[in-house]
Amino acid sequence: MFKYFLGQSPKWFKLTMIGFLIFNVFSYFILGPMITSWLFILEFIFTLAMALKCYPLQSGGLLAIQVLILNLTSPEHAYHEIEANLEVILLLVFMVAGIYFMKPLLMFIFSKVFTKIRSKLAISLLFVFLSAVLSAFLDALTVTAVLISVAVGFYGVYHKIHSGSKDYDGSGTKDKKELSGETLEQFRSFLRSLVMHGVVGTALGGVCTLVGEPQNLLIGQKMGWDFIEFFLKMAPITVPVLFLGLLTTVILEVTGTFGFGAKLPEVARNIIENYTKEEDANRSEKEKYGLIVQAVSAILLIIGLAMHLAPVGLIGLALIIIQTAFMGITDEHSLGKAFEEALPFTGLLVVFFVIVAMIHEQHLFSPIIDWALAKDPSQQPMIFYLANGILSMISDNVFVATVYIGEVKSVFDAGEITREQFEKLAIAINTGTNLPSVATPNGQAAFLFLLTSALAPLINLSYMKMVKMAFPYTIVLGTAGLIFLIMNT
């Protein structure tokens, strides 16, 4: 039984998980529900950190089942959390699958971008800026799904050439030999840095608008702000932070610190460039037609998301239907492949909501909220920003924002704070949950999606490597956000 328990995971990890499950029972009866709940949070974060050793759905899922057995939350409360986040779940199920069918178009565009733009700094800035703009108007998870698709596709091209026996660059040496060893490691490092720049970009853009992140919509609804008003309220903080984020990208790429700075190896660039030229020349009529369908679908997708014609998940489903109908993909087996990437993560997210329900039911954050509201009104925005930032790093920014804005709204409704103070705290909650939360993969759904995606093992992207690479951004975004918040509230 021990041999098959958690499959190929290291022996020490299996023993640690068994130790957690046994200790939690004693902790519940001896230390009490509140301390045990905090232990569960730390244990769950540990399972996320070990994502490359064992997919967290199993290890984290066992903890979530134990949470329910020990009655730290109920299935009804867990279901309520899932219900509240149904839009995110639908997005993952359908939008990621929709983007799967768009992969040939994304590869066609980005293979040109990667080989034509020779400056790594220019590509990095392009990734951060495009991710920020798209996240502001579309959705951070959708943009991350596109980033992952591009990186997986690009790695696939490299792997295909590396596995073959051709000589695309005409050097007289087989590409397989030229693309091995150090060149492969440098290529992985190049992709890793670009994807990390991109996901940080989703946070930079996501904080700016009403639709950028799920919690922004919630805060906007509580405050009665529309798209323009929300942007204008946040702009004194979010716009300078965006430019400082871009400056951080420049510094990281120029200095080559924190795992950034790796360039696309020249030999790899030449081989991939010649490979893509050959692919373009040999493209069949059916493939060319497919690219046109995908391009039209991409335009419809952007219009649908920017105008918010329907919930994101439903737009994703429409995207699947339009692309497959017009490209003639009607075989069930071919459709099934599109869903493989996102469904394990969707399962993990549901497990995560069980932990969130436990935090809610055990009122783990209430003492911090009560303490913050007892402080001097002029200090409250700063305290709320810091509290939201730190708690978002260890749990989930959507949940933290939901809890905090709900508590503050009830205090405002009771007439204990003014409308002006209510607005200041709402701005602090939004910026606090969106900016410092880039510190850890569990802080933002987009980061967690990247960590648990098929891409992470290909480019050796572990939990701690993500924390290390996000660290300079965390310091700059977190500090700048706080400074501009103090200046404007």
Side-chain angles (χ1 to χ4, degrees), residues 40-226:
F40 268 112
I41 293 172
L42 296 174
E43 289 164 6
F44 188 73
I45 291 169
F46 171 78
T47 65
L48 296 177
M50 294 293 117
L52 294 184
K53 304 284 184 197
C54 172
Y55 192 74
L57 178 61
Q58 284 73 36
S59 47
L62 288 170
L63 293 173
I65 290 168
Q66 194 175 37
V67 163
L68 292 167
I69 291 169
L70 292 175
N71 204 29
L72 291 170
T73 189
S74 64
E76 290 73 28
H77 268 92
Y79 181 75
H80 175 69
E81 287 297 334
I82 294 160
E83 206 174 22
N85 290 279
L86 185 61
E87 202 168 322
V88 178
I89 291 168
L90 286 175
L91 183 155
L92 282 167
V93 173
F94 295 124
M95 185 58 79
V96 176
I99 286 162
Y100 171 88
F101 291 109
M102 219 178 263
K103 218 175 257 185
L105 176 71
L106 294 171
M107 285 313 303
F108 176 75
I109 295 166
F110 279 93
S111 58
K112 303 279 186 290
V113 170
F114 279 135
T115 50
K116 294 288 184 280
I117 302 176
R118 296 197 167 255
S119 163
K120 171 68 187 307
L121 179 59
I123 293 184
S124 299
L125 284 171
L126 181 73
F127 262 61
V128 177
F129 187 72
L130 271 181
S131 297
V133 171
L134 289 172
S135 294
F137 292 98
L138 309 180
D139 170 84
L141 267 173
T142 306
V143 176
T144 306
V146 171
L147 283 172
I148 291 167
S149 283
V150 167
V152 167
F154 206 50
Y155 187 89
V157 169
Y158 190 100
H159 183 70
K160 189 175 176 183
I161 300 167
H162 184 245
S163 306
S165 56
K166 288 196 175 183
D167 178 22
Y168 283 103
D169 61 349
S171 63
T173 309
K174 282 187 179 176
D175 296 337
K176 186 175 183 177
K177 193 173 180 182
E178 288 184 282
L179 296 181
S180 298
E182 275 184 36
T183 311
L184 177 59
E185 282 312 307
Q186 193 180 335
F187 180 73
R188 279 177 172 153
S189 186
F190 166 78
L191 275 187
R192 200 163 50 229
S193 60
L194 278 185
V195 171
M196 281 302 292
H197 284 316
V199 287
V200 170
T202 65
L204 283 167
V207 67
C208 295
T209 64
L210 188 66
V211 296
E213 295 275 353
Q215 70 268 31
N216 300 17
L217 205 52
L218 183 81
I219 292 167
Q221 282 171 350
K222 297 270 187 198
M223 303 305 299
W225 292 337
D226 60 19

Side-chain angles (χ1 to χ4, degrees), residues 384-394 400 432-433 436-437:
F384 266 73
Y385 177 91
L386 291 169
N388 277 268
I390 293 162
L391 292 173
S392 293
M393 290 177 198
I394 60 170
V400 173
T433 51
S437 59

Side-chain angles (χ1 to χ4, degrees), residues 13 23 33-34 49 122 135 158 233 285 292-293 338 340 353 385:
F13 181 76
F23 181 77
M34 182 167 267
S135 294
Y158 190 100
K233 295 280 184 190
E285 287 300 316
I292 295 166
V293 172
E340 284 174 8
F353 292 142
Y385 177 91

